[in-house]
Amino acid sequence: MPTMTFAQALNDAHKLEMLRDPNIYVAGEDVGIYGGIFGVTGGLLDQFGPKRVRDTPITESAIVGTAVGAASCGLRPVVELMFVDFIGVALDQLFNQAAKMKYMFGGKAKIPMVLRATCGAGIGAAAQHSQCLEAWFMHVPGLKVVMPSTPADAKGLLISAIRDDNPVVFLEHKMLYALEGEVPAGDYTVPLGKADIKREGKDVTVIATAQAVHTALSAAEKLSADGISVEVLDPRTLNPLDEEAILESVRKTHRLVIIHEAVKFAGAGAEIAAMVAEKAFDRLDAPILRVAAPFVPVPFSPPLEKEYIPSEEKLIRAVKTVMES
Amino acid sequence: MPTMTFAQALNDAHKLEMLRDPNIYVAGEDVGIYGGIFGVTGGLLDQFGPKRVRDTPITESAIVGTAVGAASCGLRPVVELMFVDFIGVALDQLFNQAAKMKYMFGGKAKIPMVLRATCGAGIGAAAQHSQCLEAWFMHVPGLKVVMPSTPADAKGLLISAIRDDNPVVFLEHKMLYALEGEVPAGDYTVPLGKADIKREGKDVTVIATAQAVHTALSAAEKLSADGISVEVLDPRTLNPLDEEAILESVRKTHRLVIIHEAVKFAGAGAEIAAMVAEKAFDRLDAPILRVAAPFVPVPFSPPLEKEYIPSEEKLIRAVKTVMES
Amino acid sequence: MDISKEKMVEMYTIMSRIRMFELRVSELFAAGKIPGFVHLYAGEEAIATGVCANLLGSDYITSTHRGHGHLIAKGGEIQFMMAEVLGKKTGYCKGKGGSMHIADVALGILGANGIVGAGPPLAAGAALACQYQDKGAIAVCFFGDGASNQGTTHEAMNLATCWKLPVVFIAENNMYGISSCTLNSMCVPNIADRASAYDMPGVVVDGNDVMAVFEASGEAIKRARQGQGPSLIECKTYRHRGHFEGDPCAYRRKEELEEWKEKDPIPRFEQKLVALGVMSAEQVREIQDTLKKQLEEAERFAEESPFPDVSELMSDVYTA
Amino acid sequence: MDISKEKMVEMYTIMSRIRMFELRVSELFAAGKIPGFVHLYAGEEAIATGVCANLLGSDYITSTHRGHGHLIAKGGEIQFMMAEVLGKKTGYCKGKGGSMHIADVALGILGANGIVGAGPPLAAGAALACQYQDKGAIAVCFFGDGASNQGTTHEAMNLATCWKLPVVFIAENNMYGISSCTLNSMCVPNIADRASAYDMPGVVVDGNDVMAVFEASGEAIKRARQGQGPSLIECKTYRHRGHFEGDPCAYRRKEELEEWKEKDPIPRFEQKLVALGVMSAEQVREIQDTLKKQLEEAERFAEESPFPDVSELMSDVYTA
Ligand SMILES: Cc1ncc(C[n+]2csc(CCOP(=O)(O)OP(=O)(O)O)c2C)c(N)n1
Ligand SMILES: Cc1ncc(C[n+]2csc(CCOP(=O)(O)OP(=O)(O)O)c2C)c(N)n1
Ligand SMILES: [Mg+2]
Ligand SMILES: [Mg+2]
């Protein structure tokens, strides 16, 4: 299997799908001549030309809105929002139009589109370029929400997202772009709605998303030295959420810790914890803990940003806490 | 104590505060000459004139954005978004500007503003005029989120919100506007961050918000006939969330059911359930259940909308389920 | 202008169908049979009718909260519309959408819309699909004077010119956005004046003259079809009724309404066609009778249709 | 134009201070000392300087991601800016904001901003406060050519004219929004052409000529102060560096940059002032030396300042 970065895997997915389906177009700010601020769409303009790879003005409502309109008329747009933090100027077209059209029209519409965006802290990009907002998208019936953690998942999930006939929000953590890993060549999909056990364990389930998956894997390695066997489960898609896989793991370990980078309050972890507290309450031997960002905007200064991002140490402490109770 | 409707109580709060503080202005679509689509701002234009009561063009980004700018320069805007469903065209100014300015500026800003909006289903207003989106606002550090259920709370909370030096999102369920109740005359506040026990009980805690408080009270009455004593707790503000009051109630009853009208998945109830599953796990005798809307857009047709809104029957069933386990 | 008598009669028929449908809707609303919000187009029928008379089945439109007229003019059938407005299973949206969301993508109708200003980006997107597929189809965006101040409208117009999209923006300037008079919500006299901000043609037309609308929009539509990019046509008009049914309309002067009723596009066109000998008084009566029968049938169909079963609540959210 | 020699020398000094500060920031960024994104204003200094020379301390500005120049011109002190850019506790924002969020409300600086197009509504709001408080203060909104296509900009301009707000919109047209050339992102030659969509004055000015900017913006600011409402001034310019530090800038021709470097506003103004006898070559050297020393001190101050303690992570979210 070839080795490539997360960004290259996403690039590969774009190219393969665009070759397969002429109805796919890519649009967004700086996706063409620049190749994407993080390089994800590099080379697409040369390969597919300006009809299919469209640099846009700074106009997110129109980027997303034209995608919705075009999708309802037969195209399959893959549009980039650059930073997910910019969703505030384009959200209506996503949640009131793309997500609801099919339902409002009694089934008479189909909106096959992907909205890609980068998320997450770690490079000092501060409060308006570092957020994790997946919980918002999860709360919208009609959307799907994808958040990969490895190059292979990124490629397989993006291809699935592009082939899906529903609007999909595809969130790429910016600290992952340079991550290398083996990625199956050619046509290869990871189904939406299927979690992945990134490490098997029997004492405690740690559910982690995106960049936090790697924090969890590293914590699990250290905890194994203390004799604690951690199962790391990566939902990969937050909607559909693979509840069965989560419940199965918790029924085995009887303990659950959730880690994600978004602020804890009303974050994705709340839904997962609540779901387990409803459906596997009797199998739990300890409180469900969430390790997540504190309730503050993302700070700029490196020591503050470092403290903001949920750390391995905090996760280890949480795991030990649930092991002790 | 005078009796007034929820809408009149809100109107009263506006008038009292505007008399008290000349820096308060009210702006929004149809808040002036029309008096607000639901009548909440009726009479303000006549009483306070067009400088302080401003009809705007249809321009939500600018309505909210000018409020943020004006608030940072010393005014105290109270602006109306009409339907909370419209937030998608104005969200950036709320979550990236109003909520974050103080923090990003190292404390050197103060944004005392209130954003009022109506929410909720029940009048056949369909998918784009019936949503409950409080979970989104809860997830934003820097905002406060208020959601009253009675005329007295509405008045007292709105006055507190106006006097608060932070951006406050104030959500009014449209089915409550005509609800009558006793309301203290004159200057009267309900503090932000304090839950209210709307009915005391000992067997099970039901946490309910906005319109669902009344569903819960009515269910509690019926359940008492079956010998089940239900405590109904209304958080009133979702951020700050009165965790202590919630935990205290759960420590007493050992059982928790949450009801709200927003879709269940990643809704406000998820945070409450997760918080309790973390902090009062050992005091729980049963799974935490959530009664909320299914994961669909709000439908138009009356029988569908009725089925969509979390009902007394569903709540009674959930309470009986937790009582049996 | 090259237009057949049949076409003119058809336009008259469509305008009358819209009016008749809506007046009945207004009665049903007053009788408590229609939930939610109902925004009537009465007084503005010449616009949708004149514009859509230039469109083919393969063309697209986006509409607004005030959508009945656009939909009927684009080929929407009144029995399915009536069923939808009443929340019935046989409605265009199975009762899930209601008046504010009637749609039929197969007819090129991308939906009425509850969000002011949501249509322009959607229409630009439909136009992008048309351009991309290169089959000569185009998109038309109906929007109000109020929507003209919304940022989304600006963005859509700008992007449409940058990409030379085959879209025609039809501003329906009825002087009010709910209670906000255009005099207070914009400082230019014409919405069409804003076309120059994008270097697209901007034209003002009498929105109560169906032939004028037909001709002006026909030019713009031809331009779009020929790949010459977007245009903006502003149609000056007035709504006869409140913003929505139930609006006391205290923000408008009675005389203003009376003046505009004098310019009611339907009697005006009727008189013109009779004067020109295109229709006889007899024919007018026949048309009205037929429309009345059709409306009665549509209403019967809608009334007799069942409400959707509660089991349908959960379907149509996702495409499998 | 009625302007003292001192004022001209001051303007020259401010432009030079901005340039010198930023070139040092660029070196520190290259050395890996500055996290996040840094957008430099080099080449555009005449705009902020010329505009702010008309402003009082009580006036407000909103800035952009490319904010250093605006902030220095409005009175920001470089030691606190340098400290902020380095993430230090002594920075304008205690290190919490960084380059994209430097602000000081007390100086009338409502913040650099990471969201393109967020400034115009904020500036309109500041202007509303000025109008409301009626103390003669005004607001200035700096925004880019790219931001001009954002819906928020349209909304702010429209509302500002409707309410006759004392705000001046300064479009900094440097021909690019990251890699997007204005030729592809708008179809009108001038952003100022869009002023007519709101019935406000729109003026194009050479953004590399500080005196021209000073005069044109001075007129607009006077208008605003006198209660005559908003204006739009477009300043044509060019950025010398990439969009952000680290941008390879492959989307621009080298020659284009060279041509514009010929029009560099700082040597141009320097030569003019020397030729006019306003400054001597000697004085120029003195000014440069002083600036250099001030910069060194500022950098020392910033370098020696501590990072914020992690305990500060949780403060400043809410006002008690
Ligand atoms: C984004 C948004 N803001 C506000 C509203 C509430 N609203 C519905 S229709 C309307 C007036 C629209 O005015 P205009 O565009 O002129 O259309 P008209 O009603 O006159 O046909 C308003 C403010 C809305 N539905 N969506
Ligand atoms: C809403 C939003 N969209 C996109 C971006 C990413 N972005 C940052 S600066 C920039 C270009 C801005 O161009 P312009 O307004 O011309 O300002 P300039 O950089 O040329 O000074 C873009 C696209 C952003 N920060 N915010
Ligand atoms: Mg109107
Ligand atoms: Mg630019």
PDB file of all heavy atoms in Angstrom, chain A residues 198-210:
ATOM      1  N   LYS A 198      -9.806   1.622  16.828  1.00  0.00           N
ATOM      2  CA  LYS A 198      -8.424   1.911  16.451  1.00  0.00           C
ATOM      3  C   LYS A 198      -7.442   1.133  17.338  1.00  0.00           C
ATOM      4  O   LYS A 198      -6.278   0.983  16.990  1.00  0.00           O
ATOM      5  CB  LYS A 198      -8.125   3.417  16.560  1.00  0.00           C
ATOM      6  CG  LYS A 198      -8.908   4.269  15.576  1.00  0.00           C
ATOM      7  CD  LYS A 198      -8.353   4.211  14.149  1.00  0.00           C
ATOM      8  CE  LYS A 198      -8.968   5.253  13.255  1.00  0.00           C
ATOM      9  NZ  LYS A 198      -9.446   4.737  11.965  1.00  0.00           N
ATOM     10  N   ARG A 199      -7.917   0.704  18.460  1.00  0.00           N
ATOM     11  CA  ARG A 199      -7.107  -0.154  19.323  1.00  0.00           C
ATOM     12  C   ARG A 199      -8.061  -0.958  20.189  1.00  0.00           C
ATOM     13  O   ARG A 199      -8.983  -0.402  20.771  1.00  0.00           O
ATOM     14  CB  ARG A 199      -6.194   0.715  20.199  1.00  0.00           C
ATOM     15  CG  ARG A 199      -5.333  -0.077  21.190  1.00  0.00           C
ATOM     16  CD  ARG A 199      -4.589   0.858  22.147  1.00  0.00           C
ATOM     17  NE  ARG A 199      -3.914   0.091  23.186  1.00  0.00           N
ATOM     18  CZ  ARG A 199      -2.582   0.046  23.337  1.00  0.00           C
ATOM     19  NH1 ARG A 199      -1.799   0.747  22.538  1.00  0.00           N
ATOM     20  NH2 ARG A 199      -2.044  -0.684  24.291  1.00  0.00           N
ATOM     21  N   GLU A 200      -7.830  -2.230  20.286  1.00  0.00           N
ATOM     22  CA  GLU A 200      -8.723  -3.049  21.105  1.00  0.00           C
ATOM     23  C   GLU A 200      -8.278  -3.034  22.541  1.00  0.00           C
ATOM     24  O   GLU A 200      -7.089  -2.925  22.851  1.00  0.00           O
ATOM     25  CB  GLU A 200      -8.765  -4.482  20.571  1.00  0.00           C
ATOM     26  CG  GLU A 200      -9.526  -4.553  19.258  1.00  0.00           C
ATOM     27  CD  GLU A 200     -10.073  -5.939  18.954  1.00  0.00           C
ATOM     28  OE1 GLU A 200     -10.348  -6.697  19.907  1.00  0.00           O
ATOM     29  OE2 GLU A 200     -10.218  -6.245  17.763  1.00  0.00           O
ATOM     30  N   GLY A 201      -9.231  -3.135  23.430  1.00  0.00           N
ATOM     31  CA  GLY A 201      -8.910  -3.146  24.851  1.00  0.00           C
ATOM     32  C   GLY A 201     -10.092  -3.695  25.617  1.00  0.00           C
ATOM     33  O   GLY A 201     -11.163  -3.913  25.040  1.00  0.00           O
ATOM     34  N   LYS A 202      -9.930  -3.912  26.908  1.00  0.00           N
ATOM     35  CA  LYS A 202     -11.038  -4.525  27.633  1.00  0.00           C
ATOM     36  C   LYS A 202     -11.461  -3.809  28.913  1.00  0.00           C
ATOM     37  O   LYS A 202     -12.524  -4.072  29.446  1.00  0.00           O
ATOM     38  CB  LYS A 202     -10.752  -5.997  27.921  1.00  0.00           C
ATOM     39  CG  LYS A 202      -9.473  -6.242  28.715  1.00  0.00           C
ATOM     40  CD  LYS A 202      -9.215  -7.749  28.814  1.00  0.00           C
ATOM     41  CE  LYS A 202      -7.958  -8.085  29.600  1.00  0.00           C
ATOM     42  NZ  LYS A 202      -7.530  -7.178  30.677  1.00  0.00           N
ATOM     43  N   ASP A 203     -10.649  -2.855  29.389  1.00  0.00           N
ATOM     44  CA  ASP A 203     -10.975  -2.235  30.673  1.00  0.00           C
ATOM     45  C   ASP A 203     -11.820  -0.967  30.546  1.00  0.00           C
ATOM     46  O   ASP A 203     -12.631  -0.670  31.404  1.00  0.00           O
ATOM     47  CB  ASP A 203      -9.689  -1.882  31.431  1.00  0.00           C
ATOM     48  CG  ASP A 203      -8.894  -3.117  31.796  1.00  0.00           C
ATOM     49  OD1 ASP A 203      -9.534  -4.179  32.007  1.00  0.00           O
ATOM     50  OD2 ASP A 203      -7.655  -3.044  31.849  1.00  0.00           O
ATOM     51  N   VAL A 204     -11.564  -0.213  29.520  1.00  0.00           N
ATOM     52  CA  VAL A 204     -12.266   1.069  29.388  1.00  0.00           C
ATOM     53  C   VAL A 204     -12.343   1.430  27.907  1.00  0.00           C
ATOM     54  O   VAL A 204     -11.392   1.186  27.148  1.00  0.00           O
ATOM     55  CB  VAL A 204     -11.551   2.173  30.218  1.00  0.00           C
ATOM     56  CG1 VAL A 204     -10.084   2.269  29.876  1.00  0.00           C
ATOM     57  CG2 VAL A 204     -12.216   3.531  30.040  1.00  0.00           C
ATOM     58  N   THR A 205     -13.474   1.989  27.523  1.00  0.00           N
ATOM     59  CA  THR A 205     -13.635   2.466  26.157  1.00  0.00           C
ATOM     60  C   THR A 205     -13.314   3.957  26.118  1.00  0.00           C
ATOM     61  O   THR A 205     -13.853   4.721  26.922  1.00  0.00           O
ATOM     62  CB  THR A 205     -15.087   2.270  25.679  1.00  0.00           C
ATOM     63  OG1 THR A 205     -15.393   0.872  25.733  1.00  0.00           O
ATOM     64  CG2 THR A 205     -15.282   2.791  24.270  1.00  0.00           C
ATOM     65  N   VAL A 206     -12.424   4.326  25.209  1.00  0.00           N
ATOM     66  CA  VAL A 206     -12.204   5.748  24.974  1.00  0.00           C
ATOM     67  C   VAL A 206     -12.717   6.055  23.572  1.00  0.00           C
ATOM     68  O   VAL A 206     -12.232   5.489  22.587  1.00  0.00           O
ATOM     69  CB  VAL A 206     -10.720   6.132  25.103  1.00  0.00           C
ATOM     70  CG1 VAL A 206     -10.497   7.561  24.605  1.00  0.00           C
ATOM     71  CG2 VAL A 206     -10.261   6.017  26.551  1.00  0.00           C
ATOM     72  N   ILE A 207     -13.695   6.927  23.494  1.00  0.00           N
ATOM     73  CA  ILE A 207     -14.199   7.359  22.185  1.00  0.00           C
ATOM     74  C   ILE A 207     -13.502   8.669  21.852  1.00  0.00           C
ATOM     75  O   ILE A 207     -13.503   9.609  22.660  1.00  0.00           O
ATOM     76  CB  ILE A 207     -15.725   7.530  22.201  1.00  0.00           C
ATOM     77  CG1 ILE A 207     -16.375   6.162  22.465  1.00  0.00           C
ATOM     78  CG2 ILE A 207     -16.208   8.126  20.878  1.00  0.00           C
ATOM     79  CD1 ILE A 207     -17.887   6.210  22.539  1.00  0.00           C
ATOM     80  N   ALA A 208     -12.905   8.717  20.679  1.00  0.00           N
ATOM     81  CA  ALA A 208     -12.116   9.885  20.298  1.00  0.00           C
ATOM     82  C   ALA A 208     -12.393  10.223  18.844  1.00  0.00           C
ATOM     83  O   ALA A 208     -12.678   9.341  18.033  1.00  0.00           O
ATOM     84  CB  ALA A 208     -10.633   9.595  20.490  1.00  0.00           C
ATOM     85  N   THR A 209     -12.287  11.525  18.535  1.00  0.00           N
ATOM     86  CA  THR A 209     -12.514  11.958  17.157  1.00  0.00           C
ATOM     87  C   THR A 209     -11.303  12.740  16.641  1.00  0.00           C
ATOM     88  O   THR A 209     -10.601  13.404  17.405  1.00  0.00           O
ATOM     89  CB  THR A 209     -13.732  12.901  17.066  1.00  0.00           C
ATOM     90  OG1 THR A 209     -13.507  13.999  17.953  1.00  0.00           O
ATOM     91  CG2 THR A 209     -15.021  12.196  17.450  1.00  0.00           C
ATOM     92  N   ALA A 210     -11.103  12.661  15.326  1.00  0.00           N
ATOM     93  CA  ALA A 210     -10.103  13.482  14.633  1.00  0.00           C
ATOM     94  C   ALA A 210      -8.738  13.422  15.309  1.00  0.00           C
ATOM     95  O   ALA A 210      -8.235  12.334  15.612  1.00  0.00           O
ATOM     96  CB  ALA A 210     -10.617  14.920  14.487  1.00  0.00           C
TER      97      ALA A 210
END
